[in-house]
Amino acid sequence: MNAVKSLNRKARITKVIVIILIVIFLLPVLNYFKSSLPGDSIYSFEENIGVTNSNYTFYNNKSTKFNLLSSKAILEPNDIIKFLDVKLFHEIEDRNISLLALDAFYNQSEERINFANGLFVKDNMEMDIYTSKAEYYFKNNILFGRDNIIFKNKFSSLTSESFKIDFTKYNYLFYNNVNFSFKDNVRKAELYGGSLEINDINNVITVIEEPIYYEEELNINADKIILKYKEVLNKIELTELQASNNVVIKHISTTLLGNEAIFYPDRNILVLENEVKITRAKNTIKGEKIIYNLNDGVIKILKVKDQKLDLDFQ
């Protein structure tokens, strides 16, 4: 009797072991069929490559720390993965960057992703960018874009043909037919030029290649224009404009020429230096340093060829 019980016990143990082995064997197969089924499941990949034909793909790359969600992923030759209907999320220090596109091609060896057929970029600095084509380099956190650029943030909008963004340095460079418009607490202005650079850390905008600063009654041309601004209660406030080399300023009926000029918007005053020439109607005034008051049109001459003066003209 005991022998029979012993045999039954061994048979049960053997059966359990066989069942466990079958489950262990079938798990990978079940997972394979599960990942092949359509649905809204999200899959996570711990290594540097993860490809599936499911409805949604969650791509996690530990080395570059980005997450990617797409409708389909295709493994192509030359170590490239093609993603369709892409949503890419990348954290850089205190910035959360989102990139949305119809198509993306990820080059694993170069840690670069190319976007095609439209790209929308958004980050927590209240900045949006729309473009047709772009390349994002994860090693240095730099995004290059071209074709139909539209840039918007909380105080300005911009259009251009190309751009380069360094997300780590908070630096934006736009070039080729740049049209930049902004509005501060007091004035509304536009900037034109061949290239324009925005530095969010230092609150400085630099325009080169035939820059033009335009307001309703004020027009400033020079080889280079630098705008300084500050943020007050989430609004922009222009604090200073610097113009250098071949400066031409027009204010209503007055034309001012010089090699250096500083505009102080809070006081509505222009300071011009180095071969200054001011023309109003048929009158012309020359000097080395002149202050021009935009409020009342008063011209104050401080210096004429190494001689200090203090003369006012209406």
Side-chain angles (χ1 to χ4, degrees), residues 256-275:
L256 306 93
L257 307 177
N259 281 317
E260 296 178 26
I262 300 178
F263 174 45
Y264 299 97
D266 57 338
R267 293 176 287 164
N268 230 18
I269 286 177
L270 276 164
V271 179
L272 290 93
E273 293 188 67
N274 196 351
E275 299 181 3

Side-chain angles (χ1 to χ4, degrees), residues 40-43 55-60 66-72 83-89 99-101:
D40 294 345
S41 301
I42 295 177
Y43 300 89
N55 235 24
Y56 289 90
T57 299
F58 181 80
Y59 188 91
N60 182 15
F66 73 88
N67 297 325
L68 188 148
L69 182 69
S70 73
S71 62
K72 190 175 183 180
F83 294 100
L84 304 179
D85 301 323
V86 181
K87 295 180 181 179
L88 187 147
F89 308 96
L99 301 98
L100 289 77

